[in-house]
Amino acid sequence: MKARLLSISTDGESSTSKWPSMHLPETEVLLLNLREREHAIAEFVEKMDKLKVLVITSEDFRYSASLHNFQVLSRVSNLKRIRLERISISSIFKNSIQVKSLRKLSLIKCYYGFSSAKLSHAFPNLEEIYIEYATITLHSSRATEAVLSKTVLCGLCDLISLKKVTLTGVRGLLLSAFLDEIENLVNYCQT
């Protein structure tokens, strides 16, 4: 196919762990609308040489979806932007990933579970991060939320290319942890 923009919606019945083989050399924007709770990024994505933007949205409003095979994106050399909506971030960092070309990461209504991975390792050239309505955990103690809040920001201050951080609808311990860490940013400028 020679589509520059491709949108794929799953039906909620079939497993996305077995995507069909597709050849999409011209695709620059890929939109994945997924209806299952468990998803695997298709192997064909790594052959999308011109892919610049990836948008993955979970259509299930009750749960954050888990993504598997995220390391495929490490082999996509032109990927500049990723937007995730209602995705479990901890599932992404289960395997060591590194997307060097990524410049902007948007996380909307994502769930942040415990992960020891650093954003600075996964996305070393990230310039902009946007977090909207972050959910740290549904039922946890205040101490657990404090640890998870620090984990979400793990490596954020090590991102030497970071120029812009936007937090929308973020409250509580995540916001508190961010304010504690923000002065450690290399390019921090208080206004």
Side-chain angles (χ1 to χ4, degrees), residues 21 92 128 132 179:
S21 179
I92 291 171
E128 186 175 340
E132 180 179 323
L179 293 174

Side-chain angles (χ1 to χ4, degrees), residues 157-175:
C157 295
D158 296 334
L159 288 163
I160 58 172
S161 300
L162 194 64
K163 295 176 183 169
K164 183 176 180 182
V165 177
T166 305
L167 302 176
T168 303
V170 177
R171 294 180 211 90
L173 292 170
L174 178 61
L175 184 59

Side-chain angles (χ1 to χ4, degrees), residues 2 6 10 13 30 33 37 82 85 89 91 93 102 106 133 140 142 150 160 162 166 188 191:
K2 293 185 178 183
L6 179 65
T10 63
E13 300 293 324
L30 177 61
N33 300 301
R37 286 184 70 182
I82 294 177
E85 186 170 342
I89 302 304
S91 65
F93 291 112
L102 195 70
S106 299
Y133 295 107
S140 65
R142 193 160 172 79
K150 292 284 187 184
I160 58 172
L162 194 64
T166 305
Y188 175 69
T191 57

